[in-house]
Amino acid sequence: MKNVFLLLTLTALIMGCSSDDDTNAIVEVDQSIIRITQVNTDTNEVVISNLGTTSKDVGNYWLCLGPGTYVQFSTATSGTTALSPNQSITLSYDVNPTSGGLSIFSNNTFGSTNPEILLDYIQWGAANQARADQAVTAGRWDDVNSFVQDGSPYNFNGQANQFGGAFWEGTTVVNNTPGIVKIAQVNTTTDEISLTNLGGTSIDVGDYWLCLGPGTYVQVSNATSGSTNLNPNQSITLSYDVNPTADGLSLFSTNTFGSTNPDILVDYVQWGAANQARVDQAVTAGRWDNATNFLQNGSPYNFNGEANDFGSTFWN
């Protein structure tokens, strides 16, 4: 009888221990929250952070700039892709500095609106970027018309579960450089000239003059029916009859057409042949590189330099 009682007691103890183990078993739940926390379009770098409470290896995750433009995290960094809570990694990814829409996907189901797959999103520079509709549906962005402005780098300043433009800010760049007006394009086929303000402040170019040589002038205000006030990076197109074969075009800020003052003779371009009208003036003013240098291969001729670049090297 004692043996029976002892056996029952041991069985009860074993069952009690088994029940206790089941009750206290710890099942780890994935509480990682993987977010884009910075986009630097100047350096083509994207910072990814784990804002959750558990570690996560994100090597198989994907960055996406739109259909056909993907990169897996593991191929965008030479470092570890295992992120502990509050840890970040920097990925190399070629992004558009002007505007773009960037997504994180946890797998390669890029058409998904499941928030466990489309994990995060940001768009900058303009509305309605790639996959904005998807991101809004997934709750990873607030509105297709909401985008981050002011300039790169773009920084996330929200909490782990906050999404949308309100939780991002651009780096405001104040450019007080005076207006710098350049000839940006010459189209000899359509007889059109484009001027662009590459400075940091607005400038009205209505009183400026285009000149193809002595006796051949037109004031900017008479060559367009639109506004002549140019904000930074804004352009206007002017109608002006130019020689398609060869010519030299000057831009003057006043009607002192014999001047070599670079504040008056502000830009120059010659095409088709060397030694066009006023090229010597332009070289003296520092607005062209050499009287024998000219643009070839046909119209339109496009300026591809910066505000303070002059000469044939910066045209194509």
Side-chain angles (χ1 to χ4, degrees):
M1 187 68 181
K2 282 184 178 181
N3 290 336
V4 172
F5 179 76
L6 181 59
L7 181 60
L8 290 172
T9 301
L10 288 171
T11 302
L13 285 170
I14 292 168
M15 291 178 66
C17 289
S18 176
S19 177
D20 185 62
D21 287 344
D22 291 342
T23 301
N24 294 288
I26 298 174
V27 178
E28 185 174 347
V29 177
D30 182 2
Q31 293 184 341
S32 61
I33 301 175
I34 308 303
R35 301 295 306 271
I36 304 166
T37 52
Q38 185 183 85
V39 177
N40 191 326
T41 65
D42 299 317
T43 60
N44 286 318
E45 291 178 322
V46 178
V47 177
I48 306 295
S49 301
N50 181 1
L51 301 184
T53 57
T54 60
S55 298
K56 185 72 175 181
D57 192 322
V58 293
N60 291 329
Y61 284 21
W62 296 80
L63 286 177
C64 173
L65 281 169
T69 310
Y70 320 115
V71 67
Q72 200 165 30
F73 284 18
S74 58
T75 63
T77 179
S78 58
T80 181
T81 56
L83 291 180
S84 300
N86 298 313
Q87 188 177 7
S88 301
I89 55 172
T90 300
L91 307 179
S92 296
Y93 194 35
D94 188 11
V95 293
N96 188 331
T98 306
S99 61
L102 181 66
S103 312
I104 294 181
F105 287 88
S106 61
N107 61 44
N108 60 355
T109 312
F110 300 119
S112 177
T113 56
N114 182 340
E116 295 182 2
I117 295 175
L118 202 174
L119 302 179
D120 202 6
Y121 183 84
I122 171 185
Q123 64 179 2
W124 64 90
N128 294 295
Q129 297 298 306
R131 302 200 186 281
D133 289 325
Q134 262 181 258
V136 171
T137 301
R140 296 322 196 193
W141 196 248
D142 49 346
D143 190 284
V144 294
N145 295 311
S146 173
F147 61 94
V148 192
Q149 305 180 57
D150 293 336
S152 172
Y154 304 101
N155 297 294
F156 179 69
N157 58 15
Q159 303 300 314
N161 291 305
Q162 293 177 323
F163 297 88
F167 306 107
W168 282 85
E169 60 184 4
T171 303
T172 302
V173 178
V174 178
N175 183 355
N176 292 319
T177 306
I180 300 175
V181 184
K182 301 295 296 272
I183 303 168
Q185 185 183 83
V186 177
N187 192 324
T188 64
T189 305
T190 60
D191 285 323
E192 290 178 322
I193 309 296
S194 293
L195 302 181
T196 301
N197 178 7
L198 296 182
T201 58
S202 298
I203 187 168
D204 193 325
V205 295
D207 291 335
Y208 281 42
W209 294 79
L210 293 175
C211 173
L212 284 170
T216 310
Y217 320 116
V218 65
Q219 198 166 32
V220 168
S221 58
N222 293 326
T224 179
S225 58
S227 172
T228 57
N229 189 72
L230 294 181
N231 294 320
N233 298 312
Q234 188 175 7
S235 302
I236 56 172
T237 299
L238 311 175
S239 297
Y240 194 33
D241 188 12
V242 295
N243 188 329
T245 305
D247 227 331
L249 178 67
S250 309
L251 179 65
F252 288 89
S253 62
T254 73
N255 60 354
T256 311
F257 301 118
S259 177
T260 57
N261 182 339
D263 291 330
I264 295 176
L265 202 175
V266 296
D267 204 6
Y268 183 86
V269 55
Q270 68 177 2
W271 62 90
N275 296 298
Q276 297 299 308
R278 300 200 187 280
V279 69
D280 290 324
Q281 266 181 251
V283 172
T284 301
R287 296 327 196 193
W288 196 246
D289 46 349
N290 192 293
T292 61
N293 290 344
F294 60 94
L295 310 185
Q296 304 179 59
N297 299 329
S299 171
Y301 303 104
N302 297 292
F303 178 72
N304 58 17
E306 303 296 332
N308 293 308
D309 292 332
F310 296 92
S312 56
T313 304
F314 305 104
W315 284 82
N316 58 38

